[in-house]
Amino acid sequence: MAIASSSDIIVLALGVVLAAAYLFRDQLFAQSKPKAIPVSSSKASNGSSNPRDFIAKMKESKKRIVIFYGSQTGTAEEYAIRLAKEAKQKFGLASLVCDPEEYDFENLDQLPEDSCVFFVMATYGEGEPTDNAVTLCQNLSDDSFEFSNGEHKLTGLKYVVFGLGNKTYEHYNLIARNVDSDLTKIDAVRIGERGEGDDDKSMEEDYLEWKDGMWEEFARVMGVEEGQGGDSPDFAVTEVTDHPPEKVYLGELSARALTRSKGIHDAKNPYPAPITVARELFAVDSDRNCIHLELNTENSGITYQHGDHVGVWPSNAEVEVERLLCTLGLHDKKDTVINIESLDPALAKVPFPVPTTYVTVLRHYIDISAVAGRQILGVLSKFAPTPEAEAFLKNLNTNKEEYNAVVTHGCLKLGEILQLAAGNSLQGVPTPENTTSWKIPFDIIVSSIPRLQPRYYSISSSPKLYPHSIHVTCVVLKYESIEHPQVKTRWVYGVGSNFLLSLKFATEGQEAPLIDNETEPSKVFYPKYAIEGPRGAYKQETVFKVPVHVRRSTFRLPTNPKSPVIMVGPGTGVAPFRGFVQERVAMARRTIEKNGPEGLADWGSIRLYYGCRSSKDDFLYSEEWPEYSKELHGKFTLRTAFSREVFRPDGGKIYVQDLLWEDRETVADAILNGKGYVYICGDARNMSKAVEETLCKILGEAKGGSAEVEGAAEVKLLKERSRFLTDVWS
């Protein structure tokens, strides 16, 4: 083949250009005309051209309210939906409920003058925004971020803020406060007071107390009147007779689980992990339980790091499922297949996979085991079977003190309240014969009860030693309610921990024992759960499985083993520190193999402060710590406080903070001179605060000052440099 010269190529290219110019001469040489301003069409304005444009979506669907939620566990999203429903019921105003992660905020300044934006913001971790709200918070706080007006200004933008936090944490509702402050700085105008919910006491009551005043001010500012809305259902529930059985969800958490197809395992598709080890950690004769589980993740694609959390997806106790089936009059049709359709997908999405069955919804998908909220009782009162039952619910709905005395202190679930209102006994197993049925539409149940969420536990192992096994250390929640003239004292069971306890008994081939109490010795049973899972998916021969996923954490050891480490973890707060120590043991093994024991000579000390009641009853992993100490050749020190065994000279109990104070010189040296790291895991209400106060005292003294000034400044500096990390709960 002949090779074309460069001149041939130039001539050919010129010919192509001239031919194109001739063909398109009208377009190229026509007199320029002014461009027409495009008229907003439905295709453009509904966001199809830019799915991240919430302003276009609002205009297309004629919505005057947009609600953004910053949510880590789903609670803030639930409150966002509640606000949207109330705006619709009170004023007839439709809302766009948005995950901020899915939208851009450059055009926030284009929000129409007759519209309003709500921010429902949870505070996560150490005063951080939730993962889905990081960009939103950055955009609002960053002075260099420009809106479409070319400025960092939102002059006249009307907004409402409700925050979700917990007062036992240091940075209570910090994100909601920051959002409020940032908006005020750029000339936005808040409607009503900023709402702040405290999960340590009652998020529900804080919300109820805040919302009425907010809506009153909202009506005034927005020029709307209450009464323009109405009670309209969020969902349409229909019974289906001809759906293929294999396509009906019976508790599966994803489409892949239903079809048993392979895929990534995450929060949207949990992995049924086989239990390889299940054992009791407390003494045999203890009146409490703490279980150790080992979950096999081999070939699942799941990976984890020390300090991560494992999310366990429980089901509700069977007695509560039966109770609601009976009170709703659905017991005889519990296996009827139903389809659920949202009547306003922008406001309320169907919160679980469908089609499904009545019993499946109550067992696997909604949280019927939670204490019933006060607001829902007013909604349900209109469906009461008798005037007395209606009056009972209305009183609980309007009388906060009575609600607290009966429902909150009695830890009453929805099914129990309906039984109590109808005059039924709460003792014994509920049946259609001993339970009054209420004609409550099932769509109201779906709308009113939140989705059953996973329960999170700090992983108590290291992937360096257990690459295909996740260890869980879980104390079982079980306590007695406060007695009331209308409600006897009863045992109350945490859903997640008792679900795992049930699996532990089954794995060991045991029956759950009876529980003794003073009034009814050996007459109370542990709750039973549908642990075999949908279609028996969670049991294979004698092996039981747990649906789980891994949630990443920033609770990590320093990468350099030369840095000293101080860990404080009483009770099950020791769980992640077992993983931390295993992580260092694995590193030590590699170092010793390469350089001998002297390779650990320049390693920093690893100190664990652990507390429990007794060295004999609840000392977790007592047999393991000496072995870890040997492998770390003196670099690991365990300090223990047994609060019911060893006492101070004045007879007072000794706690982990007392041990820290005893070791104050060593602790101060590790932190100030060794550039050490401090970790706290466990109770946020008392322990975490007491430990931090002690550290302030130690560091203040070491700096020649006070706990309140020099000590607090050092602790603040540690936090800013990520050398003081907490994983706490209330």
Side-chain angles (χ1 to χ4, degrees):
M1 178 182 286
I3 300 174
S5 68
S6 59
S7 59
D8 291 336
I9 293 172
I10 293 170
V11 170
L12 180 61
L14 182 60
V16 170
V17 170
L18 291 173
Y22 177 81
L23 288 172
F24 297 102
R25 61 189 182 280
D26 291 339
Q27 291 92 330
L28 290 171
F29 304 110
Q31 187 176 354
S32 63
K33 298 177 182 178
K35 292 184 179 179
I37 297 173
V39 178
S40 177
S41 66
S42 62
K43 185 175 180 181
S45 61
N46 68 6
S48 59
S49 58
N50 180 8
R52 298 182 64 82
D53 185 351
F54 67 90
I55 296 289
K57 288 186 178 181
M58 288 179 70
K59 290 179 178 178
E60 167 61 20
S61 52
K62 298 178 180 178
K63 292 175 177 174
R64 293 176 59 187
I65 301 173
V66 59
I67 305 177
F68 293 106
Y69 59 85
S71 187
Q72 199 74 22
T73 62
T75 307
E77 183 180 4
E78 290 166 15
Y79 278 95
I81 291 171
R82 284 178 68 172
L83 285 165
K85 290 178 181 177
E86 290 191 33
K88 186 177 180 181
Q89 291 165 0
K90 288 176 177 289
F91 311 109
L93 295 178
S95 303
L96 185 67
V97 180
C98 298
D99 181 340
E101 199 170 34
E102 298 175 359
Y103 294 90
D104 297 321
F105 295 95
E106 285 83 355
N107 61 349
L108 183 57
D109 60 306
Q110 296 177 19
L111 191 78
E113 192 174 333
D114 67 346
S115 299
C116 178
V117 56
F118 282 61
F119 296 94
V120 184
M121 310 300 292
T123 297
Y124 179 64
E126 293 296 298
E128 302 154 7
T130 56
D131 292 343
N132 72 323
V134 171
T135 301
L136 166 61
C137 292
Q138 288 174 346
N139 290 166
L140 293 178
S141 63
D142 183 2
D143 291 340
S144 66
F145 178 80
E146 292 184 357
F147 297 101
S148 65
N149 58 17
E151 299 179 292
H152 189 62
K153 287 287 184 184
L154 292 173
T155 305
L157 178 91
K158 292 184 277 290
Y159 72 94
V160 173
V161 178
F162 181 73
L164 295 84
N166 188 308
K167 279 189 176 174
T168 60
Y169 293 77
E170 179 183 357
H171 304 287
Y172 174 64
N173 265 314
L174 181 62
I175 298 306
R177 294 175 182 181
N178 285 349
V179 166
D180 188 20
S181 173
D182 291 338
L183 287 167
T184 300
K185 287 177 185 176
I186 52 180
D187 298 335
V189 180
R190 190 182 69 222
I191 294 176
E193 296 297 320
R194 180 182 65 240
E196 294 189 352
D198 179 14
D199 193 40
D200 183 49
K201 291 185 178 178
S202 176
M203 184 79 69
E204 175 76 4
E205 288 300 327
D206 291 336
Y207 171 78
L208 294 179
E209 288 182 13
W210 164 78
K211 73 181 185 71
D212 290 340
M214 181 277 294
W215 284 129
E216 186 177 330
E217 182 66 6
F218 176 90
R220 185 189 69 78
V221 173
M222 298 290 288
V224 293
E225 293 182 8
E226 191 166 345
Q228 297 174 0
D231 289 336
S232 56
D234 297 320
F235 303 105
V237 179
T238 54
E239 297 183 355
V240 183
T241 56
D242 56 353
H243 202 81
E246 69 276 7
K247 295 183 179 180
V248 176
Y249 288 87
L250 298 180
E252 291 86 0
L253 297 165
S254 68
R256 289 198 294 263
L258 180 66
T259 58
R260 304 205 175 187
S261 56
K262 292 184 178 180
I264 295 172
H265 292 290
D266 52 21
K268 295 181 179 178
N269 182 38
Y271 173 66
I275 299 173
T276 55
V277 175
R279 61 188 174 93
E280 176 64 54
L281 294 176
F282 285 171
V284 177
D285 57 351
S286 174
D287 60 349
R288 300 179 300 147
N289 295 93
C290 185
I291 52 180
H292 171 87
L293 295 179
E294 297 182 14
L295 309 176
N296 186 357
T297 58
E298 192 168 8
N299 300 321
S300 68
I302 289 179
T303 60
Y304 74 98
Q305 296 296 320
H306 66 281
D308 282 347
H309 303 116
V310 60
V312 173
W313 293 77
S315 61
N316 289 301
E318 286 299 290
V319 66
E320 299 308 325
V321 176
E322 288 294 311
R323 194 185 312 278
L324 258 187
L325 285 172
C326 294
T327 55
L328 298 176
L330 296 173
H331 193 272
D332 293 339
K333 54 193 298 188
K334 61 183 179 181
D335 294 317
T336 300
V337 177
I338 57 173
N339 193 38
I340 303 175
E341 182 182 359
S342 174
L343 299 178
D344 186 353
L347 174 62
K349 298 175 184 177
V350 179
F352 43 78
V354 289
T356 182
T357 64
Y358 288 118
V359 68
T360 300
V361 172
L362 301 181
R363 177 180 288 143
H364 293 289
Y365 294 147
I366 61 176
D367 195 358
I368 66 172
S369 301
V371 173
R374 185 157 60 94
Q375 193 170 14
I376 186 181
L377 303 183
V379 176
L380 300 184
S381 64
K382 66 182 73 172
F383 303 104
T386 64
E388 292 78 13
E390 180 181 7
F392 183 82
L393 285 195
K394 284 184 175 179
N395 182 45
L396 291 178
N397 171 243
T398 57
N399 189 329
K400 179 180 175 181
E401 289 70 27
E402 185 71 3
Y403 169 84
N404 285 334
V406 176
V407 179
T408 305
H409 294 163
C411 302
L412 294 182
K413 307 164 194 70
L414 180 59
E416 293 172 325
I417 294 175
L418 297 180
Q419 280 188 307
L420 192 64
N424 304 145
S425 171
L426 300 185
Q427 308 301 315
V429 178
T431 66
E433 290 72 33
N434 64 21
T435 306
T436 303
S437 127
W438 296 54
K439 298 188 182 302
I440 301 172
F442 200 67
D443 67 87
I444 292 180
I445 297 298
V446 175
S447 296
S448 304
I449 302 178
R451 177 74 191 261
L452 184 60
Q453 297 289 340
R455 271 51 177 177
Y456 289 98
Y457 302 93
S458 297
I459 296 176
S460 57
S461 54
S462 163
K464 297 290 195 299
L465 291 189
Y466 300 95
H468 304 300
S469 182
I470 289 176
H471 295 190
V472 180
T473 307
C474 170
V475 69
V476 178
L477 182 62
K478 180 188 84 217
Y479 59 94
E480 290 187 277
S481 64
I482 300 173
E483 189 169 5
H484 184 272
Q486 297 182 40
V487 185
K488 291 183 178 180
T489 299
R490 302 166 308 113
W491 283 104
V492 181
Y493 305 91
V495 173
S497 59
N498 281 278
F499 173 75
L500 292 179
L501 180 63
S502 183
L503 280 163
K504 179 254 179 189
F505 287 138
T507 299
E508 293 181 328
Q510 298 178 357
E511 284 291 325
L514 294 166
I515 303 171
D516 291 337
N517 66 13
E518 293 180 5
T519 56
E520 295 180 300
S522 298
K523 286 188 178 179
V524 184
F525 292 88
Y526 279 94
K528 294 184 183 299
Y529 298 83
I531 56 176
E532 295 189 6
R535 297 179 170 90
Y538 300 159
K539 185 182 180 185
Q540 187 174 4
E541 296 179 354
T542 59
V543 177
F544 286 88
K545 303 177 181 180
V546 188
V548 299
H549 75 277
V550 169
R551 184 176 73 182
R552 302 300 174 194
S553 168
T554 57
F555 201 64
R556 296 273 191 273
L557 279 169
T559 53
N560 188 350
K562 296 179 182 179
S563 301
V565 172
I566 296 167
M567 305 174 291
V568 184
T572 52
V574 79
F577 300 137
R578 179 174 180 262
F580 279 30
V581 174
Q582 289 179 358
E583 189 85 0
R584 281 291 186 257
V585 165
M587 186 180 287
R589 288 176 182 175
R590 293 197 303 271
T591 301
I592 291 170
E593 184 179 344
K594 186 177 180 180
N595 301 316
E598 55 274 14
L600 307 183
D602 60 350
W603 277 30
S605 62
I606 306 166
R607 302 181 69 82
L608 171 59
Y609 290 84
Y610 173 74
C612 62
R613 295 180 182 180
S614 162
S615 60
K616 298 178 181 178
D617 295 334
D618 56 352
F619 185 4
L620 301 182
Y621 304 112
S622 58
E623 73 287 354
E624 295 184 14
W625 305 117
E627 297 303 314
Y628 296 146
S629 184
K630 288 178 185 176
E631 293 215 53
L632 290 168
H633 292 265
K635 293 297 179 181
F636 173 63
T637 301
L638 173 66
R639 295 280 277 125
T640 54
F642 303 120
S643 63
R644 300 190 181 182
E645 191 172 297
V646 181
F647 301 93
R648 293 199 293 253
D650 63 0
K653 294 178 179 178
I654 294 180
Y655 295 110
V656 285
Q657 59 267 29
D658 299 312
L659 299 182
L660 280 169
W661 181 248
E662 285 180 14
D663 298 347
R664 54 190 176 277
E665 291 183 5
T666 302
V667 169
D669 181 64
I671 295 172
L672 298 175
N673 300 322
K675 307 298 181 186
Y677 288 67
V678 179
Y679 300 87
I680 303 174
C681 183
D683 167 50
R685 185 180 289 109
N686 299 309
M687 180 277 297
S688 178
K689 290 181 178 179
V691 168
E692 186 167 336
E693 288 171 1
T694 302
L695 284 171
C696 286
K697 190 177 175 183
I698 290 172
L699 297 177
E701 181 182 90
K703 298 289 285 187
S706 67
E708 294 76 16
V709 180
E710 287 79 5
E714 285 297 325
V715 168
K716 183 183 179 187
L717 196 62
L718 288 174
K719 292 179 179 180
E720 290 172 352
R721 295 178 176 177
S722 298
R723 286 172 49 206
F724 186 110
L725 299 173
T726 61
D727 181 3
V728 294
W729 57 86
S730 60

